[in-house]
Amino acid sequence: MGASLLRLFDTFIATAAEPGVKPSMRDFLLYTVMQCLPWIGLSFNDSKDEVEFERILDLLETEIEKREKHYMPAVRVLVERQPPPSDRVHGLSLVTDQEHEE
């Protein structure tokens, strides 16, 4: 089951990376993968698929960083430089990164 789930994640991320994919579809695909991580991340982190799981996390981070954030200055909180909760994809990636670093 682990390998097939990683292939599914890889397919979602690869589809999001294709040129011509609408931003809303790209966000949906990335958000879907990130929503699954809290449920399956620990089991992959301690398994033989750890290297493949790390590769998926790296691909996910790369795709999130590519997202255009031209709207951020308009919604950024002046005191904090963190993205607002309304940007769920980026906000969830920050939480995932913090958990991954621990």
Side-chain angles (χ1 to χ4, degrees):
M1 179 175 137
S4 62
L5 198 52
L6 289 175
R7 277 194 307 271
L8 178 66
F9 291 165
D10 194 35
T11 301
F12 276 22
I13 295 169
T15 302
E18 290 179 1
V21 175
K22 292 182 180 180
S24 58
M25 177 58 82
R26 184 177 298 118
D27 286 353
F28 168 77
L29 293 168
L30 298 176
Y31 189 74
T32 300
V33 172
M34 288 189 300
Q35 282 290 89
C36 296
L37 294 179
W39 300 102
I40 56 94
L42 188 59
S43 62
F44 279 118
N45 204 29
D46 296 334
S47 74
K48 62 181 179 170
D49 296 321
E50 183 177 3
V51 173
E52 184 66 17
F53 183 64
E54 290 291 329
R55 188 183 72 76
I56 294 292
L57 291 177
D58 289 342
L59 285 172
L60 189 59
E61 183 177 352
T62 300
E63 288 307 312
I64 289 170
E65 291 302 316
K66 286 182 188 177
R67 291 178 70 237
E68 292 183 24
K69 299 176 189 93
H70 57 276
Y71 57 87
M72 290 302 286
V75 294
R76 192 175 299 272
V77 178
L78 297 176
V79 177
E80 293 184 22
R81 300 306 277 173
Q82 297 289 328
S86 63
D87 185 6
R88 292 181 177 173
V89 174
H90 192 71
L92 187 57
S93 76
L94 293 174
V95 171
T96 305
D97 288 344
Q98 289 172 356
E99 290 175 0
H100 182 62
E101 290 173 1
E102 295 175 356

